[in-house]
Amino acid sequence: MVNRLTSLPLLVWVTLLGALLVQGTFFMVWPFLSILLYQRFALGPYQIGVILSVAALAGSLLGFYVSALSDRFGRKHIMLASGLCCALAFVVMAMADSVHGYVLGILLVSIGRSIFGPATQALMIDQLPEKPRRELALQLRYFVANMAGAAGPLVGVWVGLTAKQSTFFITAATYLLLLAMLLWAMKRGYRLADNTLGNQGFRRTLMLLGQDHGFLLLVLANILLMFVYAHIDSSLIQYLTRAHVPALVKLISQLILVNTLTIICLQFPLRHLLGRWAISTQMQLGVVLITVAQLWYAFNPMSWHLGWLGATFVLSVGEVILFPNISVQIDDMAPPGLKGAYFGAGNLYAIGWSLSPLIGGWMLEHYSGRILYLWLALVSIAVLVLYAMASKVPRPSWLKTEAKL
């Protein structure tokens, strides 16, 4: 593993470092966006949820289209445009004095990040012809993103920037810094991707994707998976709040800590432990763990704090196994020349993420938390079935993958 780390190209390391900087400053302020909207404009939870959900949905759909264009016109131009879009979006929010200004900024952020993420992933993969090094780079990218996601809010609180509008300027500056670093690294070594397939136009790309039924099943499974997982950020907290769980604030803090520490501490040990398993088998194990967590949430006694922590630990282990491998699996399935399109389509999982708070809140209001989590367990089982189907569906004859699903 050490040899693989030292053999990663400069551009890959710059991409990873940039992800740490950008994600860190992003999470310094984004989790507290709801506080800003409530304090400045007195928006309710449902209004804020609609704004964030619609922006995420629009971003994922447009991100798929533009990511496909990166196969045709090159990663560099798409990446620069999306990075500048993100920087502009945060400047808009830093200067906004109305709800409409924030809505515009949030929409631009969602669009820019939905394009920037897949484009930089594809750029990183372009530089690594060997599959083991690609898998390591994708695992590192997930680890770095989680480190930044965990440290960002803590750093924001520590330096006193939490829920301050001016913090958006810092995030905008890190995007500009990252773009400058990437351009510098590209001048010192840049491997162009094969764009034979991607050069045929977006309509032709859609036709090719439409023939890859195994991949489409994977995309649908990931949308449902993200829909289930995202309830840890919204529905679980609302469920515990409505039930008047004792020492709620302390419990929520502990849940976040368990989730973060599990991801940071177990990602690479589990990768080593499960390294000889097929990716599809690892994915199925992760879904089983997430299903168990939903059932645990459904039946856990309200006053049993250790039970909530245990269920979150099981969920987090499932996440550690699943989420890094989603990118690895997409890379395995994507042919040379369509990496951008496949990663852009894979990013449609944001649809599930965006629908989660709306549907979860509605079910909690009209039914109960137990019904919600039992239903999520059934959805998780559906994901398991879809993964099994995706691994058995014949791939189209035109598609040449580097590894079997």
Side-chain angles (χ1 to χ4, degrees):
M1 181 174 174
V2 175
N3 291 335
R4 290 177 186 170
L5 282 172
T6 56
S7 69
L8 294 178
L10 173 64
L11 184 54
V12 172
W13 281 114
V14 169
T15 303
L16 293 171
L17 176 61
L20 179 64
L21 291 173
V22 167
Q23 291 287 90
T25 56
F26 174 82
F27 282 106
M28 280 172 59
V29 66
W30 198 259
F32 307 102
L33 181 61
S34 297
I35 299 175
L36 280 170
L37 293 174
Y38 172 74
Q39 290 177 342
R40 295 203 61 185
F41 308 108
L43 296 183
Y46 181 75
Q47 291 171 303
I48 295 172
V50 169
I51 291 172
L52 297 177
S53 295
V54 171
L57 183 60
S60 63
L61 293 175
L62 186 59
F64 166 48
Y65 172 71
V66 180
S67 296
L69 294 182
S70 73
D71 292 320
R72 185 176 184 182
F73 299 108
R75 318 286 185 221
K76 181 178 178 180
H77 300 95
I78 300 298
M79 184 189 65
L80 289 175
S82 59
L84 289 173
C85 177
C86 289
L88 173 63
F90 284 107
V91 170
V92 168
M93 285 195 288
M95 301 176 65
D97 57 3
S98 68
V99 175
H100 296 96
Y102 273 96
V103 170
L104 175 62
I106 291 169
L107 181 61
L108 289 175
V109 168
S110 298
I111 292 172
R113 285 175 62 85
S114 294
I115 299 168
F116 193 77
T120 52
Q121 276 183 295
L123 174 72
M124 190 166 59
I125 288 169
D126 291 342
Q127 313 312 306
L128 301 168
E130 301 87 0
K131 181 182 175 182
R133 290 202 300 163
R134 287 204 306 272
E135 289 187 2
L136 176 60
L138 291 171
Q139 291 274 352
L140 283 171
R141 187 180 183 276
Y142 178 76
F143 180 78
V144 163
N146 277 290
M147 285 285 290
L154 297 178
V155 173
V157 171
W158 181 59
V159 299
L161 292 173
T162 300
K164 290 186 178 180
Q165 190 174 4
S166 58
T167 315
F168 289 120
F169 280 122
I170 299 176
T171 308
T174 58
Y175 268 99
L176 296 177
L177 175 62
L178 172 56
L179 292 178
M181 292 167 57
L182 288 170
L183 287 173
W184 171 79
M186 285 180 187
K187 290 181 179 179
R188 282 153 179 78
Y190 177 41
R191 183 175 181 271
L192 293 173
D194 174 9
N195 70 339
T196 305
L197 290 173
N199 204 31
Q200 301 181 69
F202 183 68
R203 180 177 296 182
R204 176 61 177 166
T205 297
L206 280 180
M207 291 177 60
L208 294 176
L209 282 171
Q211 296 172 21
D212 193 353
H213 298 155
F215 179 71
L216 295 180
L217 287 172
L218 178 71
V219 171
L220 177 58
N222 288 341
I223 290 173
L224 294 177
L225 173 66
M226 292 301 174
F227 172 77
V228 171
Y229 177 81
H231 286 274
I232 191 177
D233 289 332
S234 55
S235 303
L236 180 60
I237 294 174
Q238 291 188 55
Y239 178 31
L240 297 175
T241 302
R242 286 169 176 263
H244 304 290
V245 172
L248 177 63
V249 174
K250 180 181 178 181
L251 175 59
I252 292 174
S253 301
Q254 291 172 340
L255 293 175
I256 295 172
L257 183 63
V258 166
N259 179 251
T260 302
L261 290 179
T262 302
I263 294 168
I264 292 174
C265 296
L266 294 186
Q267 180 182 343
F268 286 102
L270 282 173
R271 178 178 182 268
H272 177 74
L273 183 65
L274 304 177
R276 295 186 178 182
W277 292 24
I279 293 296
S280 58
T281 305
Q282 293 184 43
M283 300 283 281
Q284 289 168 359
L285 172 61
V287 177
V288 168
L289 291 173
I290 286 181
T291 305
V292 170
Q294 306 312 307
L295 293 172
W296 193 337
Y297 283 137
F299 293 105
N300 191 71
M302 284 297 171
S303 60
W304 190 31
H305 280 209
L306 285 178
W308 296 115
L309 298 177
T312 301
F313 173 74
V314 172
L315 180 80
S316 302
V317 174
E319 175 191 352
V320 168
I321 296 171
L322 275 168
F323 286 17
N325 281 326
I326 287 175
S327 296
V328 173
Q329 195 168 34
I330 293 173
D331 177 43
D332 283 350
M333 299 182 79
L338 285 180
K339 296 289 187 182
Y342 270 67
F343 273 102
N347 206 44
L348 291 175
Y349 64 68
I351 294 173
W353 197 283
S354 64
L355 293 177
S356 176
L358 296 179
I359 296 178
W362 181 84
M363 290 196 70
L364 285 174
E365 186 172 337
H366 291 86
Y367 297 98
S368 68
R370 176 166 295 180
I371 295 297
L372 169 64
Y373 281 102
L374 287 174
W375 181 64
L376 290 176
L378 291 176
V379 176
S380 300
I381 294 172
V383 173
L384 194 62
V385 172
L386 287 171
Y387 276 150
M389 291 172 61
S391 65
K392 296 177 181 178
V393 171
R395 308 297 303 282
S397 59
W398 61 266
L399 189 55
K400 296 181 179 178
T401 55
E402 299 176 28
K404 293 183 179 180
L405 179 63

